[in-house]
């Protein structure tokens, strides 16, 4: 009951991470019907295109041994050599057929799963040899569905085969009069017709089974909402921890910014909502640079630090708002603000000269 209740809670589709983990374990959706269809297709192509030539080559190899058996040496070395030659000849005759069947098997797997190398399925599992687990798999709903599917497929294929061969039943008595060559041609023609018809039927079965296996596999990997949340926390991090880390980074950046305020030449204010600290070194900079900026409480703190270190504070609300919105930290002011900033810098320099001291030394 607990397992059924847990399955009922798995209402969420598997996440990409869940699918990737299953693939690493070697768990993928595979349709056996599609594999069977590719094997039957390769066999049909072999019968039509490759098997006649292979049979001729096999006949040529065997006839060489059947025409003159009395000439064959019977010592151990000769028998070994003749046997090796026979196997080599048969291999040369059959390798195109075998190669085509192997290519079909590999191609069917690659088409369904893509390149997949995993040792997960090779690990020993007690459930694979457990009689209890085996009985559970044997009498499970999935096993019943597979049995019903196989039985339905067998019935459909049998009906199709019967319909394809039924026109030939009235001519069965004529086959007795055929010689070997004629009989071989008839059997080949009927085999091709039968395999083509079965291929057409199994193509539909394979397509439906492929879709079913994909849906069934994704359904088996469904997750509960709690599992989705836990996975999100593991991959993205706990929101509380992320928020705290972001706060720490902001505090550190703010402290570093405040350390630059005493080195500034002027602080332009709103006067209360915004504050922007500018620094200008004529020999090193093309234009004044923003070394600190802030709004509300941060702006208030910038003004306090500037007052502590006797940095001039100039109230210019439009310029303060414009610099705060358009210039990032450690960036030079844009050309559209040159005139307004130059007036402020000029005013600060005149103020210093009037007080009897030049530009404060750099506090780096």
């Amino acid at each position: 009951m607990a397992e059924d209740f847990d399955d009922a809670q798995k209402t969420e589709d598997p996440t990409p991470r869940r699918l990737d983990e299953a693939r690493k374990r070697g768990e993928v959706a595979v349709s056996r019907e599609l594999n069977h269809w590719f094997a039957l297709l390769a066999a049909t192509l072999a019968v039509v295109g490759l098997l006649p030539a292979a049979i001729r080559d096999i006949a040529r190899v065997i006839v060489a041994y059947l025409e003159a058996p009395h000439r064959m040496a019977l010592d151990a070395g000769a028998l070994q050599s003749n046997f090796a030659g026979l196997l080599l000849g048969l291999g040369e005759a059959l390798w195109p057929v075998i190669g085509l069947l192997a290519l079909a098997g590999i191609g069917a797997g690659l088409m369904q799963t893509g390149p997949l190398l995993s040792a997960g399925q090779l690990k020993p599992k007690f459930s694979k040899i457990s009689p209890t687990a085996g009985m559970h798999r044997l009498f499970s709903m999935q096993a019943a569905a597979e049995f019903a599917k196989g039985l339905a497929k067998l019935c459909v294929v049998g009906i199709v085969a019967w319909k394809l061969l039924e026109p030939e039943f009235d001519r069965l008595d004529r086959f007795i009069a055929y010689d070997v060559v004629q009989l071989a041609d008839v059997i080949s023609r009927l085999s091709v017709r039968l395999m083509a018809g079965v291929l057409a039927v199994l193509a539909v079965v394979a397509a439906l089974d492929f879709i079913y296996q994909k849906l069934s596999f994704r359904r088996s990997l469904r997750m509960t909402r709690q599992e989705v949340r836990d996975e999100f926390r593991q991959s993205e991090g706990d929101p509380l921890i992320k928020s705290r880390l972001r706060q720490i980074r902001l505090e550190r950046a703010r402290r570093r910014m405040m350390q630059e305020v005493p080195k500034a030449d002027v602080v332009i204010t709103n006067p209360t909502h915004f504050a922007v600290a500018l620094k200008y070194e004529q020999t090193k900079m093309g234009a004044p640079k923003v070394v600190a900026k802030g709004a509300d409480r941060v702006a208030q703190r910038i003004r306090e630090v500037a007052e502590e270190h006797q940095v001039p504070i100039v109230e210019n609300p439009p310029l303060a708002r414009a610099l705060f919105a358009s210039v990032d930290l450690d960036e030079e002011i844009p050309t559209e603000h040159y005139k307004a900033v130059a007036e402020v810098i000029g005013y600060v320099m005149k103020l210093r000269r009037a007080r009897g001291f030049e530009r404060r030394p750099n506090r780096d």
Side-chain angles (χ1 to χ4, degrees):
M1 286 295 291
E3 183 179 355
D4 294 339
F5 180 73
D6 186 59
D7 289 340
Q9 291 181 330
K10 294 182 177 182
T11 58
E12 306 301 316
D13 289 335
T15 60
R17 180 180 176 183
R18 184 71 169 259
L19 294 173
D20 289 340
E21 290 177 350
R23 183 176 179 84
K24 291 178 181 178
R25 296 193 301 267
E27 299 175 5
V28 291
V30 177
S31 171
R32 295 182 180 178
E33 300 299 334
L34 191 60
N35 291 339
H36 297 163
W37 186 84
F38 269 96
L40 184 59
L41 175 63
T44 303
L45 295 177
V47 169
V48 174
L50 300 177
L51 198 58
I55 291 176
R56 288 194 298 269
D57 293 338
I58 292 174
R60 187 182 66 254
V61 172
I62 295 178
V63 165
Y65 290 91
L66 297 179
E67 285 183 342
H70 56 281
R71 298 179 182 177
M72 296 178 57
L74 299 179
D75 57 281
L79 286 176
Q80 184 177 2
S81 177
N82 291 333
F83 185 69
L86 177 61
L87 292 180
L88 182 60
L90 294 177
E92 291 178 352
L94 292 176
W95 77 263
V97 177
I98 297 174
L100 181 60
L101 294 175
L103 185 62
I106 297 174
L110 289 177
M111 192 192 74
Q112 295 187 72
T113 65
L116 178 62
L117 295 176
S118 175
Q121 298 297 321
L122 299 179
K123 295 180 180 179
K125 294 181 180 179
F126 178 75
S127 59
K128 293 182 178 180
I129 60 175
S130 171
T132 304
M135 293 295 292
H136 178 73
R137 288 193 299 268
L138 186 62
F139 294 100
S140 64
M141 291 298 297
Q142 183 177 1
E146 290 293 331
F147 175 77
K149 182 180 66 177
L151 185 61
K153 183 181 70 172
L154 183 61
C155 292
V156 172
V157 171
I159 293 173
V160 171
W162 176 272
K163 290 297 182 180
L164 290 173
L165 297 179
E166 187 177 12
E168 304 295 333
F169 291 163
D170 295 336
R171 296 194 290 267
L172 287 178
D173 55 341
R174 303 178 186 177
F175 293 171
I176 301 176
Y178 290 167
D179 58 23
V180 176
V181 176
Q182 291 176 321
L183 187 60
D185 290 339
V186 172
I187 293 176
S188 176
R189 177 172 54 82
L190 293 179
S191 298
V192 172
R193 181 195 301 178
L194 179 62
M195 296 177 77
V198 173
L199 268 176
V201 174
L202 290 185
V204 178
V205 175
L208 294 177
D209 185 68
F210 179 74
I211 297 174
Y212 169 77
Q213 294 298 336
K214 286 287 186 181
L215 296 177
S216 178
F217 177 72
R218 290 185 66 87
R219 186 164 55 249
S220 68
L221 294 179
R222 279 183 177 176
M223 307 168 67
T224 63
R225 293 184 178 179
Q226 184 61 41
E227 288 176 333
V228 174
R229 287 194 290 265
D230 293 342
E231 182 179 302
F232 177 79
R233 289 179 179 177
Q234 293 175 1
S235 59
E236 300 294 333
D238 193 314
L240 295 177
I241 296 177
K242 290 180 65 178
S243 176
R244 179 55 182 164
L245 292 176
R246 183 164 55 250
Q247 183 179 359
I248 292 174
R249 287 195 294 268
L250 289 175
E251 291 176 354
R252 290 178 178 177
R254 186 177 301 169
R255 284 198 296 268
R256 289 194 298 268
M257 183 180 69
M258 290 301 176
Q259 292 173 0
E260 296 295 322
V261 175
K263 306 173 187 178
D265 291 300
V266 64
V267 174
I268 304 174
T269 64
N270 193 29
T272 57
H273 294 296
F274 299 104
V276 180
L278 300 177
K279 180 179 180 180
Y280 179 57
E281 296 181 13
Q282 188 173 3
T283 58
K284 298 181 180 180
M285 301 178 184
K289 181 174 67 174
V290 175
V291 295
K293 69 174 185 177
D296 298 328
R297 293 183 180 180
V298 179
Q300 180 181 356
R301 181 56 184 160
I302 290 175
R303 290 194 302 271
E304 292 174 356
V305 174
E307 291 173 354
E308 292 174 4
H309 294 82
Q310 299 181 356
V311 177
I313 299 176
V314 178
E315 294 184 6
N316 190 329
L319 182 59
R321 288 195 297 268
L323 293 177
F324 180 85
S326 61
V327 187
D328 291 330
L329 287 176
D330 295 326
E331 284 189 358
E332 294 183 354
I333 63 172
T335 55
E336 58 266 24
H337 299 308
Y338 277 3
K339 183 178 180 181
V341 173
E343 292 177 355
V344 173
I345 296 293
Y347 168 76
V348 171
M349 290 183 176
K350 290 179 182 179
L351 183 63
R352 285 178 178 166
R353 284 196 296 268
R355 292 179 179 177
F357 59 90
E358 293 296 329
R359 188 177 189 275
R360 291 174 293 104
N362 192 357
R363 294 184 177 87
D364 290 342

